[in-house]
Amino acid sequence: MKTLILNGSPRKNGDTVSLIKKLTSELEGVIKIIDAYRCDISPCIDCRYCWKNSGCAINDEMQEVYKYIEDCDNIVIASPIYFSELTGKLLDVGSRLQTLFCAKYFRKEDLNIKPKKGAVILVGGGDGRIEKPYETACTLLHHMNCYDIYDVVCSFNTNEVPALEDKQAVEGVESVARFLGAKNK
Ligand SMILES: Cc1cc2nc3c(=O)[nH]c(=O)nc-3n(C[C@H](O)[C@H](O)[C@H](O)COP(=O)(O)O)c2cc1C
């Protein structure tokens, strides 16, 4: 089983990462984590290469991610909420999925991406507005042929209570692990 996790947090030991660590400790199989703030992935520049050609003209770490997306079993989007959205750097990475969109709508190409399960983990210092980032995360998951998406896991009020001390969020992550494929303990 192969899982791709897209981490939208800049904080090495922040709330998102603490929930990602909890998830990876429970998940079976091979896991690839892309740290949106540290990876070598540039944003899409709308060069329109992919309107007519397969793949993407930008030769960076995203090329590996495209391959991983083709045959992985699960994708998890985990992010803090910034101004009621996923973080900008995560959206930069997400923008590179434009070639997958163009395959369908411009190139009329069958992409052969394995259908997969998905999950979304969101953390925020605020009061729990997740509609926008959740919708964006689902859009990105859909572009990666991920339609079987588990109930969103969120932790709010992280300024006061760290996500790892939020019982509901931790239990949510445990359920996500079972849904995607947990280790036999
Ligand atoms: C630029 C910025 C914008 C933010 N906007 C929101 C917001 O709209 N809603 C919210 O609940 N929290 C917001 N926060 C708080 C973060 O989501 C919160 O601190 C989160 O726990 C950080 O996650 P991390 O530790 O994984 O990086 C914002 C924080 C920053 C730095």
Side-chain angles (χ1 to χ4, degrees):
M1 188 180 87
K2 284 168 84 173
T3 300
L4 174 66
I5 300 178
L6 302 178
N7 168 23
S9 172
R11 299 179 69 222
K12 284 187 176 163
N13 293 303
D15 295 290
T16 307
V17 169
S18 67
L19 294 181
I20 289 176
K21 283 184 177 159
K22 169 78 184 155
L23 178 66
T24 56
S25 73
E26 312 240 334
L27 266 189
E28 193 234 308
V30 183
I31 298 163
K32 181 179 184 70
I33 301 178
I34 296 296
D35 284 333
Y37 279 80
R38 290 176 190 85
C39 62
D40 168 30
I41 297 178
S42 311
C44 172
I45 50 167
D46 196 13
C47 71
R48 306 193 176 185
Y49 170 89
C50 65
W51 282 25
K52 294 207 171 119
N53 304 283
S54 299
C56 176
I58 305 174
N59 191 12
D60 61 11
E61 200 183 335
M62 193 67 192
Q63 299 296 341
E64 254 175 61
V65 178
Y66 291 132
K67 286 194 199 113
Y68 207 87
I69 290 170
E70 273 178 26
D71 71 346
C72 71
D73 303 281
N74 307 312
I75 300 183
V76 179
I77 293 182
S79 182
I81 300 170
Y82 280 6
F83 300 109
S84 310
E85 246 309 346
L86 302 178
T87 60
K89 290 283 186 190
L90 185 53
L91 291 176
D92 281 355
V93 173
S95 70
R96 294 290 296 285
L97 300 175
Q98 175 69 353
T99 183
L100 308 184
F101 170 85
C102 289
K104 241 192 228 170
Y105 294 98
F106 291 131
R107 307 198 307 268
K108 312 285 180 210
E109 190 182 304
D110 257 340
L111 275 177
N112 206 17
I113 298 178
K114 186 173 180 176
K116 43 191 118 267
K117 292 183 185 174
V120 180
I121 299 173
L122 299 171
V123 302
D127 59 0
R129 296 247 176 110
I130 58 154
E131 295 81 6
K132 266 210 282 175
Y134 181 59
E135 193 184 333
T136 306
C138 288
T139 301
L140 299 178
L141 289 172
H142 294 165
H143 283 316
M144 296 182 279
N145 206 12
C146 210
Y147 287 91
D148 189 5
I149 301 170
Y150 198 71
D151 299 340
V152 61
V153 172
C154 23
S155 183
F156 300 114
N157 196 22
T158 53
N159 299 334
E160 308 291 332
V161 182
L164 216 47
E165 288 173 25
D166 176 344
K167 195 164 169 262
Q168 213 182 325
V170 171
E171 285 173 3
V173 169
E174 287 166 354
S175 313
V176 166
R178 285 193 293 276
F179 170 73
L180 300 178
K183 283 177 192 160
N184 287 324
K185 285 188 185 160

